[in-house]
């Protein structure tokens, strides 16, 4: 069974801290790994990672995939209260039914 | 967001009644999906569509049916709602070629079955 595990499940930090969110996966045919941010409503897309070792960056957020370790990390530097959200990791599985397998998410709270 | 509209936004219904949720997109994307999101389970795929009249089951399809008669509309039907189907339902879309784009989600429908 395809599985995506995120850790920690929740995290509380102060503004200005740097955080690292983890995602590990066990899937049959890996195609890509995606990160989403979910505030009150719809998850919004952050990154798609397909190649190991290549960092994707957007402002204070960055992410990297390690195919050998079957994992990915999402880093947020100089956190702000607006970063408070649930961060979802999903793995796209090739072949058969087209689907994303989601982890349960990490709830990040950034306090002022 | 990304030209996806879900309706209704909220619904309360009684056990045993039929319910239909609608997803409408203006992006002309080929792929459409229905997910449900529950505490402790994350997002789980119910059904998806890869074209007009082409649909397939996801991991939690029991008790749900779907239809796609036009590119822009994807309907999710609960034939006889049960309390276990109380959830937030998200529609998502993705383009077809040359490579499927990341999923973009609608704002969700909160369904309560009493």
């Amino acid at each position: 069974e395809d599985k995506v595990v995120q850790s920690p499940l929740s995290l509380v930090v102060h503004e200005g801290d740097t955080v690292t969110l983890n995602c590990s996966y066990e899937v049959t045919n890996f195609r890509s790994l995606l990160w989403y941010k979910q505030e009150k409503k719809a998850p919004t897309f952050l990154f798609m990672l397909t190649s190991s070792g290549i960092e994707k960056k957007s402002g204070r957020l960055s992410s990297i995939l390690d195919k050998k370790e079957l994992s990915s990390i999402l880093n947020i530097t100089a956190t702000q209260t607006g970063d408070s959200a649930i961060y979802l990791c999903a793995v796209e599985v090739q072949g058969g039914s087209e689907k994303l397998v989601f982890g349960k998410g990490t709830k990040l709270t950034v306090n002022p | 967001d990304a030209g996806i509209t879900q309706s209704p936004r909220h619904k309360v219904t009684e056990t045993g009644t039929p319910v239909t949720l609608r997803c409408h997109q203006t992006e002309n994307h080929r792929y459409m999906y229905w997910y449900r999101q529950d505490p402790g389970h994350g997002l789980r795929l119910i059904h998806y569509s890869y074209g007009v009249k082409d649909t397939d089951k996801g991991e939690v399809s029991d008790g749900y049916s779907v239809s796609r008669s036009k590119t822009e509309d994807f309907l999710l039907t609960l034939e006889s709602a049960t309390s276990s189907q109380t959830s937030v339902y998200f529609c998502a879309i993705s383009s077809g070629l040359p490579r499927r784009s990341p999923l973009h989600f609608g704002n969700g429908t909160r369904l309560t079955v009493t």
Side-chain angles (χ1 to χ4, degrees):
Chain A
E1 186 187 332
D2 297 324
K3 193 164 64 172
V4 176
V5 178
Q6 293 186 244
S7 64
L9 290 181
S10 68
L11 190 54
V12 180
V13 300
H14 291 291
E15 259 190 324
D17 288 349
T18 293
V19 298
T20 298
L21 310 183
N22 300 286
C23 176
S24 62
Y25 59 90
E26 289 178 37
V27 300
T28 45
N29 283 301
F30 176 89
R31 185 172 193 166
S32 65
L33 185 145
L34 296 90
W35 284 97
Y36 286 83
K37 177 183 181 182
Q38 185 176 23
E39 295 173 88
K40 288 193 170 39
K41 297 179 182 176
T44 54
F45 170 73
L46 293 174
F47 299 112
M48 175 189 269
L49 304 159
T50 54
S51 301
S52 209
I54 298 175
E55 187 183 49
K56 292 271 182 104
K57 209 167 161 59
S58 175
R60 295 176 295 102
L61 277 67
S62 63
S63 183
I64 196 162
L65 175 67
D66 186 338
K67 281 187 174 177
K68 199 172 171 184
E69 295 296 324
L70 306 182
S71 65
S72 174
I73 59 170
L74 175 68
N75 280 320
I76 309 175
T77 60
T79 52
Q80 302 171 357
T81 55
D83 295 325
S84 295
I86 297 173
Y87 290 84
L88 299 168
C89 173
V91 172
E92 186 180 10
V93 180
Q94 278 192 59
S97 69
E98 305 288 350
K99 63 176 183 179
L100 286 183
V101 181
F102 280 85
K104 294 179 182 178
T106 293
K107 183 177 180 182
L108 174 66
T109 303
V110 182
N111 290 325
Chain B
D1 288 42
I4 309 170
T5 304
Q6 290 186 234
S7 59
R9 295 296 311 281
H10 302 273
K11 184 161 182 76
V12 179
T13 192
E14 292 184 351
T15 297
T17 58
V19 177
T20 295
L21 309 183
R22 180 178 182 241
C23 178
H24 178 79
Q25 60 142 331
T26 58
E27 305 294 320
N28 202 35
H29 280 357
R30 178 181 174 189
Y31 293 88
M32 298 185 77
Y33 305 80
W34 278 107
Y35 282 85
R36 60 178 288 175
Q37 187 174 36
D38 305 287
H41 288 279
L43 281 158
R44 292 180 292 174
L45 180 65
I46 305 171
H47 281 279
Y48 68 99
S49 169
Y50 46 96
V52 173
K53 292 191 175 16
D54 291 322
T55 64
D56 206 347
K57 296 179 180 180
E59 59 183 301
V60 290
S61 59
D62 286 349
Y64 301 94
S65 62
V66 289
S67 66
R68 191 164 177 204
S69 58
K70 297 186 287 186
T71 298
E72 57 266 35
D73 290 325
F74 193 32
L75 304 180
L76 177 71
T77 297
L78 291 65
E79 302 289 348
S80 177
T82 67
S83 58
S84 65
Q85 293 175 313
T86 292
S87 187
V88 180
Y89 291 86
F90 286 99
C91 175
I93 64 174
S94 174
S95 68
L97 294 170
R99 182 197 162 89
R100 284 214 317 281
S101 64
L103 264 60
H104 289 278
F105 288 84
N107 282 332
T109 293
R110 183 174 294 276
L111 176 68
T112 303
V113 184
T114 61

